[in-house]
Amino acid sequence: MLGEDLHQATSRENTLVLIEETRATLRDQGDDDLLHYKQMTDSSKIMAMKFLSRLVITLVMARPADIPLVTLKMVQLSLAHGMSPISAVGFVYFGSILASIGHIDEGCRFVKLAKNLVQRFGGREVAGEVIAIATQTIGFVDPIQSTLDFHMEGYKVALEAGDTRSASMNFFFYCNYVLWTGSKSISFAKSKYEEFCRFMKQHNVVAMLLIAGTRTMDKLIDGNVTQSEPPSNTPTIEFLEEKNPFAAKMRHFQNMFIHFMFRDYEAMEYSTKNYFECKLETWTHFFIAASQTFICGLVLFWMHRRTNNDVWLHTGNKLKGVLKGWTNSSEWNFLHKFHLLEAEEHFCCGRYSEAKVSYDKAIFLSKEHKFINDEALACELAGYFAYETGEETAALDYLARAHENYNKWGAVAKSKNIYEFIQSIFQNNPNLDQKALISSLQSGLGHAANVDTTGPSSQNARKRDFPPTTVE
């Protein structure tokens, strides 16, 4: 390939060895040394770098396991022959790879170097791609709400450069951030996904239409899936499973999430097994992985309680451990998620007093860290826990708060789902005092409040009997 051979990695372990060799080479290079490194002048090497940069963005969805081989070659060419505008692409993916294997701080070092290289060379043609990948890595350190607009900046920069693929990547990441952070109302998120779909159709990037999240939002808003039919040349899910494992796995995850949120256990279990059967070895560090880790953990703990299958408990604990590791780089983004998984594990194991403490921590921190969607979910799961352990009054309090927060987020159908469950509690226990609670629930039903980018004000947070805590 243009006189350059890629490393051949026969296993993940072999790839890790190659990554470590490059880390060792860069360890003695300071950031300023790399930023002001000699400039690449060999035209054949510049051409090879351009080819590799086009290849790596294709591999993100088609063959993610091969991303390190291309990335390492780009970094090595830059160190051997000098920096070029395209070097930024190599270093931003290298930073993402390091973050994906647990070296988040070191990964952030190289994605910041990549952004600085874009500025040094005026690398307009790669700026959109660099912004997309860098922002995803930085989202594991900085408060995720503060990074939202970076992706729209990347979208605009990429469009101006005629880089449709990087523009679509930034737009897709932005839509995912809006949905999974709860930083805007679901109606706003849906409008952005619909705009994204129109953009994809306009530019004939049809494969990505099947991973757009409009189905998820339709269900949360009105309880129905009303997504318009994709173009006739859109590949089927069977095609994606063979040719595009990233898109296929995203579809299985969306189905699992929808069924989990509406407590359809059998359908959720089916989608979950499909999700885990969709093998995907990835080396990039995208924030959607955090949402998948979180939701999958919650799903698996519920499956354990339904089946008593310790495989689900063990896998859920592994995912909880992953989230615990991410709290080291950002308590703001991940600590509340960790505590909710911790609560569900305690529930599974019969440690009810510990479970209540962890549920309350998750609720408090979700509120403090402005994740209204996670606060609603934590209140809901705490309500189910309290109900199943015989604490019906506490369950009603938690569920009323879940109902309120789902309404604020704009998840009207989900809020109605909670309301119906509350009604069933009263029907099963007519001695409960329901007048005031039902009145307040009915008055707010269906009236979703606007949610801005900063989330609900922490001044309005319900005070709990403990301070925010760190993971021990």
Side-chain angles (χ1 to χ4, degrees):
M1 181 198 68
L2 297 176
E4 300 295 335
D5 295 325
L6 295 178
H7 287 292
Q8 297 299 315
T10 57
S11 66
R12 183 176 179 86
E13 290 71 24
N14 183 233
T15 301
L16 288 169
V17 169
L18 297 174
I19 293 169
E20 186 55 40
E21 289 174 354
T22 303
R23 283 183 71 202
T25 301
L26 289 165
R27 201 164 284 136
D28 296 331
Q29 300 275 1
D31 292 349
D32 283 342
D33 296 332
L34 291 169
L35 181 59
H36 299 100
Y37 208 71
K38 66 181 181 181
Q39 187 166 344
M40 186 179 291
T41 57
D42 186 328
S43 60
S44 66
K45 304 303 178 187
I46 293 172
M47 185 65 68
M49 290 286 287
K50 289 182 177 179
F51 176 83
L52 291 168
S53 72
R54 293 189 181 99
L55 177 60
V56 72
I57 194 172
T58 303
L59 295 176
V60 169
M61 293 184 69
R63 290 174 58 183
D66 291 339
I67 288 175
L69 307 182
V70 177
T71 299
L72 294 175
K73 174 57 70 173
M74 295 181 76
V75 172
Q76 289 158 7
L77 282 173
S78 298
L79 293 176
H81 299 281
M83 297 293 176
S84 77
I86 310 300
S87 298
V89 175
F91 280 103
V92 81
Y93 278 100
F94 184 63
S96 181
I97 290 167
L98 292 181
S100 76
I101 60 175
H103 306 298
I104 293 177
D105 289 341
E106 189 177 354
C108 284
R109 174 200 171 195
F110 289 109
V111 302
K112 290 174 182 176
L113 170 66
K115 294 176 74 174
N116 288 332
L117 285 171
V118 169
Q119 292 182 350
R120 173 190 168 184
F121 290 105
R124 177 174 171 268
E125 71 272 27
V126 299
E129 184 174 2
V130 169
I131 290 171
I133 304 303
T135 302
Q136 288 292 299
T137 303
I138 293 169
F140 280 81
V141 177
D142 293 346
I144 193 67
Q145 298 92 337
S146 70
T147 67
L148 274 171
D149 291 338
F150 295 161
H151 278 307
M152 291 313 293
E153 175 193 353
Y155 167 74
K156 293 173 184 176
V157 168
L159 274 187
E160 290 172 358
D163 183 2
T164 304
R165 288 189 298 180
S166 295
S168 64
M169 184 187 295
N170 275 290
F171 206 158
F172 174 70
F173 285 148
Y174 175 80
C175 292
N176 270 282
Y177 270 13
V178 170
L179 174 61
W180 294 106
T181 63
S183 56
K184 302 275 190 180
S185 71
I186 289 187
S187 295
F188 177 87
K190 181 182 177 183
S191 71
K192 284 300 179 183
Y193 267 109
E194 290 171 342
E195 186 179 341
F196 168 74
C197 289
R198 289 193 295 271
F199 177 82
M200 293 294 96
K201 291 177 183 178
Q202 178 184 350
H203 294 280
N204 201 34
V205 190
V206 293
M208 292 193 74
L209 289 172
L210 287 178
I211 61 174
T214 49
R215 296 173 65 256
T216 300
M217 286 168 287
D218 284 339
K219 187 70 175 177
L220 290 169
I221 293 170
D222 59 25
N224 298 311
V225 176
T226 57
Q227 187 175 9
S228 60
E229 288 297 318
S232 59
N233 61 334
T234 302
T236 64
I237 190 65
E238 290 78 14
F239 174 87
L240 287 176
E241 287 176 346
E242 179 182 356
K243 302 294 185 181
N244 199 323
F246 177 83
K249 194 158 190 173
M250 281 290 294
R251 286 284 285 186
H252 293 315
F253 172 71
Q254 290 169 4
N255 289 334
M256 175 178 63
F257 175 69
I258 290 170
H259 298 312
F260 169 73
M261 291 299 289
F262 286 88
R263 314 307 283 177
D264 184 346
Y265 180 84
E266 285 73 19
M268 182 201 73
E269 183 180 47
Y270 176 78
S271 297
T272 302
K273 290 177 179 178
N274 283 338
Y275 173 84
F276 281 105
E277 287 173 2
C278 188
K279 304 301 181 184
L280 179 64
E281 183 177 13
T282 182
W283 293 89
T284 45
H285 209 45
F286 295 162
F287 199 81
I288 187 62
S291 301
Q292 292 180 358
T293 299
F294 177 50
I295 296 300
C296 284
L298 297 176
V299 165
L300 292 171
F301 286 133
W302 186 23
M303 289 173 65
H304 173 263
R305 290 197 298 275
R306 285 288 295 262
T307 66
N308 205 31
N309 185 336
D310 286 340
V311 170
W312 306 133
L313 179 64
H314 174 71
T315 308
N317 274 326
K318 286 178 63 177
L319 297 180
K320 184 186 68 144
V322 171
L323 268 170
K324 181 177 181 179
W326 288 337
T327 65
N328 294 327
S329 62
S330 177
E331 290 188 355
W332 180 278
N333 292 335
F334 302 115
L335 188 55
H336 68 282
K337 289 179 169 66
F338 167 77
H339 281 307
L340 189 54
L341 288 182
E342 180 182 60
E344 289 285 286
E345 183 211 355
H346 287 320
F347 186 10
C348 287
C349 298
R351 299 188 292 265
Y352 296 157
S353 59
E354 293 93 335
K356 184 182 186 308
V357 171
S358 294
Y359 281 120
D360 285 346
K361 287 180 180 179
I363 293 166
F364 177 84
L365 290 169
S366 298
K367 184 82 169 181
E368 288 291 295
H369 296 173
K370 309 181 189 306
F371 291 87
I372 194 171
N373 54 332
D374 290 345
E375 182 188 359
L377 181 57
C379 289
E380 178 185 3
L381 296 182
Y384 296 147
F385 159 75
Y387 179 72
E388 291 183 32
T389 55
E391 300 290 337
E392 291 180 334
T393 300
L396 291 171
D397 178 63
Y398 284 126
L399 292 169
R401 290 154 62 191
H403 173 275
E404 177 186 6
N405 283 308
Y406 280 128
N407 257 328
K408 286 181 179 178
W409 187 32
V412 178
K414 179 60 190 176
S415 182
K416 289 179 179 179
N417 176 256
I418 296 291
Y419 177 60
E420 290 168 357
F421 184 73
I422 290 173
Q423 285 185 312
S424 72
I425 294 177
F426 284 122
Q427 290 170 357
N428 293 330
N429 192 340
N431 295 323
L432 290 171
D433 181 13
Q434 58 177 292
K435 184 176 180 180
L437 180 60
I438 291 295
S439 176
S440 66
L441 290 174
Q442 288 176 329
S443 66
L445 191 59
H447 299 287
N450 292 327
V451 183
D452 62 26
T453 56
T454 60
S457 170
S458 61
Q459 294 178 348
N460 297 325
R462 178 184 292 231
K463 299 299 181 183
R464 310 303 296 165
D465 58 356
F466 60 88
T469 58
T470 58
V471 179
E472 296 178 356

